[in-house]
Amino acid sequence: MGTPGLTHLRQDGTAQMVDVSNKAESTREATATATVRSTAEVLALLGAGDLPKGDALAVARIAGIMAAKKTADLIPLCHPLPIAKVTVDFELDTNTITVFATVKTRGITGVEMEALTAASVAALSVYDMIKAVDKHAVLTDIKVLAKSGGKSGDWTL
């Protein structure tokens, strides 16, 4: 049933968790990104591990990994998934740090939400670690970059 095009709504407009029970199992992977904008001075401290709160990148990496594993607890209609692998990496530029989160599973539904959650929470953790030295930092550009597996196959932004 449901509303055409909106799989999380039933015909009467109320929310539902999508039935994925007859989907084929496959290896699925998704990569998402988030960006934190700050000053060159703060990015230099971040890259050197010299922030007052400590090694922000190590904290953010662990936060992102933990977040991917908790996505179904945070996003109401997400299915709990057996996460096989999560990586969180960072690219520092003059005024930005870009977070890249990749999540992999073997299952019946994709891991885009887990990758987005990992990238978002890692970026939030970076913000938390730098806010003492830059109250004007901005989180931006949270998006899925690529996904693979499943019926719809591979996709890249």
Side-chain angles (χ1 to χ4, degrees):
M1 280 206 155
T3 303
L6 300 174
T7 59
H8 285 82
L9 293 179
R10 295 187 297 196
Q11 205 157 16
D12 66 0
T14 58
Q16 73 175 350
M17 189 174 198
V18 176
D19 181 0
V20 295
S21 61
N22 47 352
K23 289 177 75 175
E25 185 176 285
S26 68
T27 299
R28 297 162 186 264
E29 185 172 278
T31 300
T33 187
T35 301
V36 181
R37 297 188 196 287
S38 187
T39 66
E41 296 78 22
V42 171
L43 269 287
L45 290 171
L46 178 69
D50 288 338
L51 288 166
K53 288 188 173 185
D55 187 352
L57 299 182
V59 170
R61 179 172 283 114
I62 296 300
I65 292 168
M66 291 174 63
K69 298 188 308 182
K70 292 291 190 179
T71 300
D73 294 334
L74 299 168
I75 310 297
L77 299 177
C78 280
H79 294 83
L81 300 176
I83 302 294
K85 183 178 182 181
V86 180
T87 60
V88 177
D89 294 300
F90 307 97
E91 184 177 290
L92 279 71
D93 202 346
T94 307
N95 293 330
T96 61
I97 176 168
T98 305
V99 180
F100 296 93
T102 300
V103 180
K104 188 174 185 179
T105 190
R106 176 128 184 102
I108 58 175
T109 191
V111 287
E112 296 92 344
M113 292 306 299
E114 289 72 11
L116 284 164
T117 301
S120 299
V121 170
L124 286 166
S125 295
V126 168
Y127 178 88
D128 182 50
M129 298 290 282
I130 68 173
K131 70 184 181 203
V133 292
D134 182 5
K135 293 179 184 4
H136 301 287
V138 175
L139 278 68
T140 186
D141 299 323
I142 300 167
K143 59 190 169 195
V144 175
L145 294 177
K147 70 160 242 41
S148 64
K151 187 172 105 179
S152 60
D154 298 355
W155 175 88
T156 302
L157 181 65

